[in-house]
């Protein structure tokens, strides 16, 4: 007993000793883990700070490089600085950084502002007039802004807005209008917007509506040559050309429906849409000139072109864009080889229109009037650098560099269309005269997207962040000068700053979408899976069908839903 008491008072019992040791071990373990975690956090923070610093240095270096380029241009020299996307560049554009995140959130905020202003003052009408706070039916009352920006809302993850737009399309969109619609505008904005919304969401209501509007447009192609009339009554189907074209069809209006109608045939398994628009290219290809440049007027009865203006600007532009993109949409296969060949021929023509200014050696694309070049370029032609960059991807090293180099030079010119005005907003077109570089001719700015579009492609293809910086500068000019309390407006004059009263639907459909994508990782609408129509509506690239039998057999099947669930990029 005594032994037991004495032993318990001098040393603790066995379980107590075990507990003490365990507690000491737990304490030591806790201290060690805390130290390791703290050490890792510090390391990660240091790493993040270092990456941000390096990013900033990279931007400074790129700016320096641009200064150097400009300096060399002043001396009449030029250097080739970028290459096809190198692996490190691919990696760097694959990463999302805090600056990009912040910037695309601000672009999204701009979209929310534009969209809510439209919802508040112009819901259901084609476009918003922000100064007078009302809607206007510029396209016959088809809710153009809603349909045109369904995909922008979807891509930006603006779910509630997308749902409201979707309900309007399902319940209120009515194409049975006694209205002479532009076949081109209705195709690229309305049909294009619906098809893109279908590809992104898999919601069949969009495909049904797409088929409805396409069926109403289709009689426009019933001409002796197959070249479509450019206007059609949506309720009665009678088609014609406006008086100001002298009864002719316009090149861009007739040669910019291929992507949409081919996409519709693929999704409905009905070949009739594809056939109509592909005939146009075949017809134009029959007498395609050696330089691949077509005048802007075509006779829909004979298919003959009449010598007039040749341009990559208004009335010509997207015809050339679609030659390249129809080839991409068709998986670059044998069946669509003729598109690529025609496009390449046209690029010989484009190169023959290139001149450079003095003193700063800005490259620009002239227009041709008959046989004479005029030193004028539309901002609309600023889609061309993006097209050239996109095409460069499929060339071997030497040719790719040439295309990319020209694309970069032209993009620099287009960026300077913006930078050279007091408001840092581009005018509608520019003249170039010896010793004076560029001067604005038509001085309005209607929130157009072409330059931003090209910056987007150039950034995706080269990984050069300078293009993001340029896009950001342009965005800030829009924020500063075009944003008002009730939406976004254009300017009647970029020299004086007088505002107009229109928020064009393409500002939401294109300008803001390309800006958002400029600051998003390339996995958001990757260019090897999607092709953008000329209104910035992405269509998924799917298998092409060329034979009637394929269409016939598949015509019995239900349309394939391309994307059933929401993509995981948001
Ligand atoms: C848009 O409707 C399209 O981009 C079209 O190809 C040209 N014009 C406007 C934007 O400027």
């Amino acid at each position: 007993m005594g032994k037991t008491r004495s032993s318990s008072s001098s040393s603790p019992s066995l379980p107590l000793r075990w507990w003490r040791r365990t507690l000491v071990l737990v304490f030591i373990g806790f201290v060690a883990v805390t130290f390791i975690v703290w050490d890792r956090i510090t390391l990660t923070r240091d790493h993040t700070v270092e990456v941000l610093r390096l990013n900033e240095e990279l931007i400074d270096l790129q700016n320096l490089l641009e200064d150097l380029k400009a300096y060399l241009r002043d001396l009449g020299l030029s250097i080739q600085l970028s290459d096809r996307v190198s692996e490190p560049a691919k990696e760097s554009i694959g990463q999302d950084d805090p600056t990009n995140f912040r910037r695309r959130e601000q672009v999204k905020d701009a979209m929310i502002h534009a969209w809510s202003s439209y919802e508040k003052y112009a819901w259901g009408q084609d476009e918003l007039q922000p100064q007078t706070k009302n809607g206007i039916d510029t396209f016959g009352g088809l809710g153009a802004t809603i349909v045109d920006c369904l995909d922008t809302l979807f891509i930006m993850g603006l779910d509630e807005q997308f749902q409201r737009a979707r309900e309007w399309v399902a319940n209120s969109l009515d194409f049975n209008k006694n209205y002479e619609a532009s076949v081109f505008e209705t195709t690229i904005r309305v049909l294009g917007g619906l098809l893109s919304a279908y590809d992104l969401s898999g919601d069949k209501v969009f495909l049904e509506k797409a088929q409805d509007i396409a069926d109403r447009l289709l009689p426009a192609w019933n001409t002796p040559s197959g070249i479509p009339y450019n206007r059609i009554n949506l309720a009665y189907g009678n088609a014609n050309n406006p008086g100001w074209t002298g009864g002719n069809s316009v090149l861009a209006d007739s040669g910019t429906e291929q992507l949409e109608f081919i996409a519709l045939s693929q999704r409905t398994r009905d070949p009739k849409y594809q056939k109509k628009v592909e005939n146009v290219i075949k017809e134009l290809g029959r007498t395609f000139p050696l330089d691949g440049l077509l005048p802007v007027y075509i006779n829909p009865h004979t298919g003959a072109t009449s010598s007039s203006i040749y341009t990559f600007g208004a009335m010509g532009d997207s015809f050339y864009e679609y030659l390249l993109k129809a080839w991409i949409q068709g998986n670059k296969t044998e069946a669509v080889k003729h598109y690529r060949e025609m496009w390449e021929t046209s690029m010989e023509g484009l190169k023959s229109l290139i001149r450079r200014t003095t003193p700063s050696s800005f490259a620009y694309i002239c227009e041709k009037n008959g046989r004479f070049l005029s030193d004028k370029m539309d901002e609309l032609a600023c889609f061309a650098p993006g097209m050239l960059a996109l095409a460069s991807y499929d060339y071997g090293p030497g040719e790719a560099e040439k295309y990319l180099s020209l694309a970069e030079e032209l993009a620099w010119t287009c960026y300077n269309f913006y930078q050279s005005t007091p408001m840092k907003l581009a005018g509608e077109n520019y003249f170039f005269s010896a010793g004076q570089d560029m001067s604005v001719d038509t001085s309005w700015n209607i929130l157009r997207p072409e330059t931003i579009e090209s910056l987007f492609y150039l950034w995706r293809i080269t990984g050069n962040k300078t293009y993001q910086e340029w896009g950001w500068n342009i965005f800030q000019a829009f924020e500063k000068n075009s944003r008002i309390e009730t939406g976004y407006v254009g300017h009647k004059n970029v020299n004086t700053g007088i505002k107009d009263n229109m928020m064009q639907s393409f500002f939401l459909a294109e300008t803001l979408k390309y800006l958002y994508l400029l600051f998003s990782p390339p996995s958001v609408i990757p260019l090897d899976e999607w092709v953008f129509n000329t209104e910035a509506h992405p269509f998924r690239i799917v298998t092409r069908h060329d034979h009637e039998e394929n269409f016939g057999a598949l015509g019995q099947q239900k349309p394939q839903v391309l994307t059933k669930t929401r993509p995981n990029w948001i």
Side-chain angles (χ1 to χ4, degrees), residues 86-134:
S86 59
E87 286 313 308
K90 259 188 200 158
E91 267 170 32
S92 82
I93 63 174
Q95 286 164 7
D96 204 7
D97 66 43
T99 308
N100 279 343
F101 176 77
R102 217 180 39 246
R103 288 178 173 180
R104 72 170 176 271
E105 284 305 300
Q106 287 191 41
V107 174
K108 194 198 268 193
D109 172 76
M111 179 68 189
I112 292 171
H113 179 63
W115 174 260
S116 7
S117 305
Y118 168 79
E119 271 199 295
K120 188 162 175 194
Y121 301 113
W123 184 246
Q125 291 189 267
D126 284 330
E127 292 179 301
L128 166 67
Q129 294 193 301
Q131 307 264 26
T132 43
K133 301 182 195 163
N134 57 273

Side-chain angles (χ1 to χ4, degrees), residues 77 103 133 199 223 266 292 331 359 363 403 451 459 522 535 560:
L77 301 167
R103 288 178 173 180
K133 301 182 195 163
D199 276 6
T223 64
Q266 291 173 333
N331 291 307
Y403 276 106
T451 301
W459 174 71
E535 188 78 1
Q560 176 198 7

Side-chain angles (χ1 to χ4, degrees), residues 502-523:
M502 261 316 258
M503 188 170 81
Q504 307 280 344
S505 78
F506 56 65
F507 179 65
L508 295 82
E510 295 192 74
T511 313
L512 292 179
K513 185 190 288 138
Y514 281 130
L515 275 164
Y516 185 81
L517 293 174
L518 182 63
F519 303 115
S520 300
S523 52

Side-chain angles (χ1 to χ4, degrees), residues 148 184-185 188-189 256 317-318 321 379-380 383 428 446-450 453 505-506 510-511 533-536:
D148 216 3
F184 165 75
E185 297 291 359
I188 66 167
R189 297 185 200 224
T256 313
D317 48 10
S318 39
E321 177 188 347
E379 195 280 339
L380 279 165
F383 83 94
E428 178 71 358
I446 55 169
L447 308 166
R448 285 197 192 277
E450 290 75 15
E453 171 184 350
S505 78
F506 56 65
E510 295 192 74
T511 313
N533 87 339
T534 194
E535 188 78 1

